[in-house]
Amino acid sequence: MKKTLYILIFLGIGLNFCYSQTESENRFGLTEFDSKKHDRIYRVQVEDYQNVEMIEFKNGEFKGTLTHLIWKTNRKEIRKDSIIQKIAIPNSTVKKLITELNSNGFEKLKDCDNIENCISGLDGTTIFFKTVKNGEINSASYWELDSDYYYNQNKVKLPAEVIKARKLISIINKEFDLKEQFQSFLNRLPNGRYSYSMLIMKKG
């Protein structure tokens, strides 16, 4: 039986260290949308190891979490138990983020597959964006979002929607840097063998 270890970190001012859920959302322990309580939910997920969830309630309150997930593996690199770190984002930060993300087109972001000259691939890092609001779900994903390499190689102009998606990520990173937060999580792990995305990591 697989076990899950939850590491809860509740933060003050800054960061220190009904729809059916997808399998990934269940692993992250995310909130199931309730139209009676929730006005909207925004989610940004990096591969299978990092998720930002931001919730606006109908009563005007806000709540959010930054969640990291990694798998412990055996010597054959088979995934066994998962380790989850769930960080509470200050309500005021969630309110600020939802406001800024909404004004920058988060809810209407198009998926890469529906955009001319948007490049996607199999390996590398994919970032997922999701909005749940008013009984509707809008989802979009982008591969290697912060890289111009493949567009330059193919001599293709960077699509405007890719630039928009980068802007959305930069809004979050201004409040807490996603890469730094995940690296901090990795640094805290005890010695062992771990897996996330398509990577295998040996520590110690």
Side-chain angles (χ1 to χ4, degrees), residues 5-17:
L5 171 65
Y6 285 89
I7 305 174
L8 299 179
I9 302 178
F10 296 94
L11 304 177
I13 296 177
L15 283 177
N16 297 320
F17 290 65

PDB file of all heavy atoms in Angstrom, residues 5-17:
ATOM      1  N   LEU A   5       3.175  11.133   2.842  1.00  0.00           N
ATOM      2  CA  LEU A   5       3.604  11.958   3.957  1.00  0.00           C
ATOM      3  C   LEU A   5       3.300  13.405   3.626  1.00  0.00           C
ATOM      4  O   LEU A   5       3.721  13.925   2.614  1.00  0.00           O
ATOM      5  CB  LEU A   5       5.113  11.793   4.186  1.00  0.00           C
ATOM      6  CG  LEU A   5       5.762  12.756   5.192  1.00  0.00           C
ATOM      7  CD1 LEU A   5       5.208  12.505   6.581  1.00  0.00           C
ATOM      8  CD2 LEU A   5       7.277  12.588   5.172  1.00  0.00           C
ATOM      9  N   TYR A   6       2.516  14.073   4.475  1.00  0.00           N
ATOM     10  CA  TYR A   6       2.175  15.464   4.252  1.00  0.00           C
ATOM     11  C   TYR A   6       3.039  16.346   5.138  1.00  0.00           C
ATOM     12  O   TYR A   6       3.157  16.127   6.322  1.00  0.00           O
ATOM     13  CB  TYR A   6       0.704  15.735   4.588  1.00  0.00           C
ATOM     14  CG  TYR A   6      -0.259  15.206   3.562  1.00  0.00           C
ATOM     15  CD1 TYR A   6      -0.751  13.906   3.664  1.00  0.00           C
ATOM     16  CD2 TYR A   6      -0.663  15.999   2.505  1.00  0.00           C
ATOM     17  CE1 TYR A   6      -1.637  13.416   2.725  1.00  0.00           C
ATOM     18  CE2 TYR A   6      -1.554  15.508   1.559  1.00  0.00           C
ATOM     19  CZ  TYR A   6      -2.037  14.220   1.679  1.00  0.00           C
ATOM     20  OH  TYR A   6      -2.908  13.755   0.737  1.00  0.00           O
ATOM     21  N   ILE A   7       3.663  17.356   4.528  1.00  0.00           N
ATOM     22  CA  ILE A   7       4.424  18.344   5.261  1.00  0.00           C
ATOM     23  C   ILE A   7       3.666  19.654   5.144  1.00  0.00           C
ATOM     24  O   ILE A   7       3.560  20.221   4.063  1.00  0.00           O
ATOM     25  CB  ILE A   7       5.843  18.512   4.684  1.00  0.00           C
ATOM     26  CG1 ILE A   7       6.554  17.140   4.638  1.00  0.00           C
ATOM     27  CG2 ILE A   7       6.638  19.521   5.494  1.00  0.00           C
ATOM     28  CD1 ILE A   7       7.887  17.195   3.950  1.00  0.00           C
ATOM     29  N   LEU A   8       3.091  20.142   6.231  1.00  0.00           N
ATOM     30  CA  LEU A   8       2.284  21.342   6.197  1.00  0.00           C
ATOM     31  C   LEU A   8       3.084  22.534   6.680  1.00  0.00           C
ATOM     32  O   LEU A   8       3.682  22.497   7.748  1.00  0.00           O
ATOM     33  CB  LEU A   8       1.035  21.180   7.071  1.00  0.00           C
ATOM     34  CG  LEU A   8       0.087  20.046   6.648  1.00  0.00           C
ATOM     35  CD1 LEU A   8      -1.081  19.975   7.616  1.00  0.00           C
ATOM     36  CD2 LEU A   8      -0.410  20.251   5.242  1.00  0.00           C
ATOM     37  N   ILE A   9       3.104  23.597   5.915  1.00  0.00           N
ATOM     38  CA  ILE A   9       3.782  24.817   6.294  1.00  0.00           C
ATOM     39  C   ILE A   9       2.791  25.963   6.162  1.00  0.00           C
ATOM     40  O   ILE A   9       2.311  26.245   5.067  1.00  0.00           O
ATOM     41  CB  ILE A   9       5.006  25.089   5.399  1.00  0.00           C
ATOM     42  CG1 ILE A   9       5.975  23.915   5.485  1.00  0.00           C
ATOM     43  CG2 ILE A   9       5.692  26.392   5.799  1.00  0.00           C
ATOM     44  CD1 ILE A   9       7.182  24.080   4.601  1.00  0.00           C
ATOM     45  N   PHE A  10       2.438  26.616   7.253  1.00  0.00           N
ATOM     46  CA  PHE A  10       1.517  27.730   7.209  1.00  0.00           C
ATOM     47  C   PHE A  10       2.301  29.022   7.298  1.00  0.00           C
ATOM     48  O   PHE A  10       3.141  29.202   8.167  1.00  0.00           O
ATOM     49  CB  PHE A  10       0.504  27.630   8.356  1.00  0.00           C
ATOM     50  CG  PHE A  10      -0.364  26.416   8.228  1.00  0.00           C
ATOM     51  CD1 PHE A  10      -0.036  25.232   8.883  1.00  0.00           C
ATOM     52  CD2 PHE A  10      -1.467  26.427   7.407  1.00  0.00           C
ATOM     53  CE1 PHE A  10      -0.815  24.108   8.751  1.00  0.00           C
ATOM     54  CE2 PHE A  10      -2.258  25.297   7.258  1.00  0.00           C
ATOM     55  CZ  PHE A  10      -1.936  24.141   7.931  1.00  0.00           C
ATOM     56  N   LEU A  11       2.011  29.922   6.376  1.00  0.00           N
ATOM     57  CA  LEU A  11       2.810  31.105   6.231  1.00  0.00           C
ATOM     58  C   LEU A  11       2.080  32.348   6.705  1.00  0.00           C
ATOM     59  O   LEU A  11       0.858  32.416   6.672  1.00  0.00           O
ATOM     60  CB  LEU A  11       3.184  31.281   4.755  1.00  0.00           C
ATOM     61  CG  LEU A  11       3.893  30.065   4.163  1.00  0.00           C
ATOM     62  CD1 LEU A  11       4.146  30.301   2.702  1.00  0.00           C
ATOM     63  CD2 LEU A  11       5.201  29.817   4.878  1.00  0.00           C
ATOM     64  N   GLY A  12       2.879  33.349   7.070  1.00  0.00           N
ATOM     65  CA  GLY A  12       2.312  34.635   7.450  1.00  0.00           C
ATOM     66  C   GLY A  12       2.297  35.544   6.248  1.00  0.00           C
ATOM     67  O   GLY A  12       1.595  35.296   5.280  1.00  0.00           O
ATOM     68  N   ILE A  13       3.117  36.569   6.295  1.00  0.00           N
ATOM     69  CA  ILE A  13       3.106  37.561   5.233  1.00  0.00           C
ATOM     70  C   ILE A  13       3.762  37.019   3.972  1.00  0.00           C
ATOM     71  O   ILE A  13       3.297  37.246   2.868  1.00  0.00           O
ATOM     72  CB  ILE A  13       3.821  38.841   5.700  1.00  0.00           C
ATOM     73  CG1 ILE A  13       3.035  39.457   6.864  1.00  0.00           C
ATOM     74  CG2 ILE A  13       3.954  39.836   4.561  1.00  0.00           C
ATOM     75  CD1 ILE A  13       3.683  40.680   7.465  1.00  0.00           C
ATOM     76  N   GLY A  14       4.856  36.297   4.096  1.00  0.00           N
ATOM     77  CA  GLY A  14       5.567  35.816   2.912  1.00  0.00           C
ATOM     78  C   GLY A  14       5.741  34.314   2.941  1.00  0.00           C
ATOM     79  O   GLY A  14       5.428  33.657   3.914  1.00  0.00           O
ATOM     80  N   LEU A  15       6.239  33.774   1.842  1.00  0.00           N
ATOM     81  CA  LEU A  15       6.471  32.338   1.748  1.00  0.00           C
ATOM     82  C   LEU A  15       7.854  31.986   2.251  1.00  0.00           C
ATOM     83  O   LEU A  15       8.836  32.564   1.821  1.00  0.00           O
ATOM     84  CB  LEU A  15       6.349  31.889   0.290  1.00  0.00           C
ATOM     85  CG  LEU A  15       4.927  31.761  -0.257  1.00  0.00           C
ATOM     86  CD1 LEU A  15       5.000  31.394  -1.712  1.00  0.00           C
ATOM     87  CD2 LEU A  15       4.155  30.722   0.507  1.00  0.00           C
ATOM     88  N   ASN A  16       7.937  31.111   3.184  1.00  0.00           N
ATOM     89  CA  ASN A  16       9.215  30.574   3.615  1.00  0.00           C
ATOM     90  C   ASN A  16       9.263  29.159   3.131  1.00  0.00           C
ATOM     91  O   ASN A  16       9.804  28.757   2.271  1.00  0.00           O
ATOM     92  CB  ASN A  16       9.348  30.645   5.134  1.00  0.00           C
ATOM     93  CG  ASN A  16       9.340  32.057   5.632  1.00  0.00           C
ATOM     94  OD1 ASN A  16       9.936  32.908   5.015  1.00  0.00           O
ATOM     95  ND2 ASN A  16       8.643  32.301   6.717  1.00  0.00           N
ATOM     96  N   PHE A  17       9.953  28.728   3.698  1.00  0.00           N
ATOM     97  CA  PHE A  17      10.078  27.382   3.256  1.00  0.00           C
ATOM     98  C   PHE A  17       8.525  26.951   3.305  1.00  0.00           C
ATOM     99  O   PHE A  17       8.103  26.912   4.418  1.00  0.00           O
ATOM    100  CB  PHE A  17      10.958  26.531   4.164  1.00  0.00           C
ATOM    101  CG  PHE A  17      12.440  26.848   4.135  1.00  0.00           C
ATOM    102  CD1 PHE A  17      12.974  28.026   4.548  1.00  0.00           C
ATOM    103  CD2 PHE A  17      13.331  25.888   3.664  1.00  0.00           C
ATOM    104  CE1 PHE A  17      14.358  28.239   4.542  1.00  0.00           C
ATOM    105  CE2 PHE A  17      14.714  26.088   3.682  1.00  0.00           C
ATOM    106  CZ  PHE A  17      15.207  27.240   4.117  1.00  0.00           C
TER     107      PHE A  17
END
